[in-house]
Amino acid sequence: MSQDIDKDRDVMIGLEIHVHLNTKEKLFCDCKVPTKESEVNSHICPRCTGQPGSKPMLTNKAALAKVIKIGLAVGASATKHTNFQRKHYTWPDMPTGFQRTCSGSGTKTTTVGGEFMGIRIEGNHLEENPAAWDPVTGELDYNRSGFPLAEFVTAPDFRSTSELRDWLKEFILVLKYLDCINVEYGIKSDVNVSVKESDFSRVEIKNVNSLTNIVAAADAEIIRQRELCSEGKPVLQETRRYNDELDETQFMRSKENAQDYRFTPEPDLPNLVVSDEMIEEIRATIPELPSAKREKYSKFDLKAEDIEVLVSELYLTEIFEHALDKKLNPREVGLFLRREIPRVLNYAKEDFSDLEKKDIKEEITKLIDLLGSDKIAYTTAQKTLEKLYAKKFDVEKYINDNNLIQVQDDSLIEDLVRKALSDNPKAVEDHKSGNTKSLNFIVGVVMRETKGTAKPQTVNKVLAEVVKEF
Ligand SMILES: [Zn+2]
């Protein structure tokens, strides 16, 4: 941890964030990573349960690449030679008695340095997750054991919990863009909190899961420390845990009982060597990040909140940028994506992960092409999207087979308007006697005749002209 203390600050918060990486297999065995629905102890083998005599397989390369990718994305540099160490501790969640980690004295973290939204990052390393232990029942679930984690250590640069919230939200979004986070398991973090009133006596809150709880834990701890100070009591340097039901932090252990992890090099794993080629290959897979996309999209006639909805899902940005490449109308396409896709998901009570599973991105892109080039009406695009979400089909074929291409021929619309006016003399009379709404009926007739494929703007324009002749 950085020791430089800015005395002008009211609070100081630092994080040690563990990111669950979205690899297919675990870090040192070929067990598939579980989901939260997996049956207890269903994704295990002698390696990830630490059976006597079992040895780790070679490090999962995808996991290593993902840790490096996150580091590079925040401006860190990759360490070319590093090694796993054994971090010793005795706890039921770790049957080997040690955790394999690229951290601790004696090694270098997987990536070093970097900065994200003004918060300095000190290091980022690969390590294995322990098992899940229930202290009440004593039961162990080894599904999580060996799950690859990236651990990020930030400097204590956060000045408020609102800054912490904004930062975490953006950091998680970047992790999704990088395709590095297992969204179901997300992040967990140790949170270091201190306040000016105690001269920044540091307290650590262990293992807080989720963005909401990390922010709530920091808030609760700041309140606790300030109360102590106002009562003239010292803030002791200690480790605490967050109880989300009571919204308070609780004592775990004091600094005097700080653990000595006795780091030793892991003899069962070869050193990790990362070549320049590998680093450049990984760098090439980093997409344009949300901040750059926001800036790019701000050129279009879209509100900041519309842009935020687009940027919040890489899925939407990909379709939107396809439309930009094709020189389609950014405002029309942007608003359609921003409004209609969340609407359809909301109606189905599903989210973007469900949308991705449906494998209809290409069909949505075709729909956007038809809408953006004015070939179909907005309502046609809306209805087609609903159908598409229910069941995948070929959009172009569907539009053609059902004659849903927008009527481009103004003379056809003129003929239909003329006929509708002749057939409905009452509407014409009402119009002449000053009923401004009577022509809406005629627009409705024409829209029905064209099965909704006439552009309402064109019908209105033609109608305003033709009605003068009556
Ligand atoms: Zn295993």
Side-chain angles (χ1 to χ4, degrees):
M1 264 305 142
S2 169
Q3 292 303 310
D4 46 324
I5 289 175
D6 178 352
K7 294 280 182 190
D8 293 335
R9 287 205 247 169
D10 293 328
V11 300
M12 214 188 292
I13 305 167
L15 299 175
E16 290 170 31
I17 312 168
H18 296 84
V19 179
H20 290 87
L21 296 169
N22 62 340
T23 54
K24 290 193 178 70
E25 281 98 23
K26 292 186 181 181
L27 191 50
F28 301 120
C29 62
D30 48 17
C31 290
K32 299 277 177 258
V33 296
T35 67
K36 287 199 170 168
E37 278 75 51
S38 300
E39 203 181 314
V40 170
N41 290 318
S42 58
H43 290 55
I44 59 171
C45 72
R47 291 189 172 100
C48 58
T49 52
Q51 301 296 307
S54 69
K55 299 245 189 273
M57 286 170 58
L58 288 180
T59 308
N60 182 336
K61 271 194 180 155
L64 177 63
K66 282 176 193 275
V67 177
I68 295 173
K69 187 173 178 181
I70 308 170
L72 295 178
V74 296
S77 53
T79 306
K80 290 185 185 170
H81 294 272
T82 177
N83 63 286
F84 277 96
Q85 300 208 101
R86 293 180 170 186
K87 177 180 177 179
H88 293 88
Y89 67 91
T90 309
W91 203 247
D93 64 8
M94 196 46 96
T96 49
F98 57 81
Q99 180 185 24
R100 295 186 181 96
T101 172
C102 290
S103 70
S105 53
T107 189
K108 278 180 89 178
T109 51
T110 315
T111 71
V112 179
E115 189 177 304
F116 184 67
M117 287 173 74
I119 305 298
R120 289 167 295 161
I121 291 164
E122 300 186 333
N124 159 33
H125 64 264
L126 184 58
E127 65 183 31
E128 63 178 341
N129 209 6
W133 176 60
D134 184 333
V136 178
T137 63
E139 282 170 359
L140 277 159
D141 180 4
Y142 289 96
N143 282 352
R144 267 184 12 185
S145 177
F147 203 125
L149 298 175
E151 182 180 338
F152 271 83
V153 180
T154 78
D157 287 348
F158 297 97
R159 291 162 174 261
S160 68
T161 48
S162 60
E163 184 183 20
L164 177 66
R165 180 185 295 110
D166 292 347
W167 190 94
L168 278 171
K169 210 171 149 220
E170 187 72 3
F171 186 63
I172 293 170
L173 182 60
V174 166
L175 293 171
K176 287 187 193 165
Y177 268 58
L178 296 173
D179 187 26
C180 285
I181 186 172
N182 178 310
V183 178
E184 193 183 11
Y185 286 91
I187 58 167
K188 56 181 179 175
S189 186
D190 300 340
V191 190
N192 301 307
V193 178
S194 59
V195 298
K196 187 180 187 176
E197 291 88 331
S198 74
D199 210 13
F200 299 106
S201 173
R202 196 182 110 177
V203 172
E204 183 180 39
I205 314 159
K206 274 280 182 203
N207 247 332
V208 191
N209 59 28
S210 86
L211 184 157
T212 313
N213 278 351
I214 292 167
V215 176
D219 268 328
E221 182 56 21
I222 290 168
I223 291 169
R224 187 190 73 88
Q225 292 184 14
R226 286 197 171 139
E227 275 174 6
L228 284 175
C229 293
S230 71
E231 292 163 8
K233 294 177 184 162
V235 174
L236 300 174
Q237 296 198 4
E238 61 193 19
T239 303
R240 301 177 70 85
R241 66 168 70 84
Y242 177 63
N243 181 325
D244 60 350
E245 279 171 28
L246 300 175
D247 187 27
E248 64 177 31
T249 65
Q250 298 168 335
F251 177 78
M252 254 175 97
R253 59 175 179 259
S254 69
K255 213 67 193 170
E256 290 80 68
N257 299 329
Q259 277 172 297
D260 172 12
Y261 291 118
R262 295 179 292 115
F263 285 100
T264 56
E266 165 57 271
D268 290 335
L269 285 165
N271 289 345
L272 289 171
V273 180
V274 180
S275 67
D276 287 333
E277 289 81 0
M278 185 177 167
I279 294 170
E280 288 321 307
E281 266 171 39
I282 295 168
R283 199 188 297 282
T285 65
I286 297 174
E288 185 175 47
L289 296 182
S291 53
K293 290 203 187 292
R294 274 188 205 100
E295 199 180 323
K296 196 163 78 180
Y297 298 175
S298 68
K299 296 196 300 259
F300 308 120
D301 182 19
L302 290 165
K303 288 190 191 140
E305 64 251 43
D306 295 329
I307 293 172
E308 207 46 48
V309 175
L310 291 174
V311 170
S312 68
E313 291 293 340
L314 192 58
Y315 191 99
L316 293 181
T317 66
E318 285 168 359
I319 300 175
F320 185 57
E321 291 187 17
H322 162 86
L324 298 182
D325 288 345
K326 289 209 149 187
K327 307 273 183 269
L328 302 179
N329 182 328
R331 180 176 158 78
E332 190 174 11
V333 170
L335 288 181
F336 181 84
L337 291 170
R338 175 258 180 280
R339 287 179 187 148
E340 302 304 332
I341 292 190
R343 181 180 65 82
V344 168
L345 290 176
N346 214 8
Y347 184 75
K349 294 195 170 55
E350 293 187 329
D351 58 29
F352 275 89
S353 63
D354 300 300
L355 177 61
E356 275 174 45
K357 282 181 212 138
K358 289 187 183 268
D359 189 27
I360 53 172
K361 194 193 265 173
E362 207 174 307
E363 299 306 325
I364 296 177
T365 305
K366 285 188 203 165
L367 192 62
I368 291 298
D369 285 352
L370 292 164
L371 174 72
S373 55
D374 236 9
K375 292 206 173 84
I376 56 170
Y378 192 92
T379 48
T380 305
Q382 270 180 319
K383 286 178 191 153
T384 310
L385 179 68
E386 287 163 18
K387 285 199 162 72
L388 196 56
Y389 193 75
K391 192 172 187 295
K392 185 179 177 178
F393 53 79
D394 183 330
V395 162
E396 280 159 347
K397 186 172 183 311
Y398 171 82
I399 296 290
N400 283 324
D401 289 357
N402 291 279
N403 297 318
L404 293 171
I405 294 288
Q406 196 150 251
V407 179
Q408 303 285 356
D409 182 355
D410 284 6
S411 68
L412 173 66
I413 291 174
E414 196 178 319
D415 290 348
L416 289 169
V417 165
R418 212 175 283 283
K419 181 170 183 305
L421 287 169
S422 305
D423 290 352
N424 296 282
K426 175 84 172 56
V428 178
E429 282 310 307
D430 288 351
H431 169 67
K432 282 182 179 165
S433 58
N435 182 347
T436 50
K437 292 202 173 130
S438 68
L439 295 185
N440 289 351
F441 175 74
I442 302 294
V443 176
V445 171
V446 175
M447 293 305 290
R448 209 159 45 239
E449 285 291 312
T450 60
K451 287 195 210 154
T453 58
K455 277 185 95 171
Q457 299 92 313
T458 312
V459 177
N460 276 313
K461 198 179 83 195
V462 171
L463 180 57
E465 285 304 311
V466 175
V467 76
K468 289 177 196 161
E469 301 167 18
F470 280 75

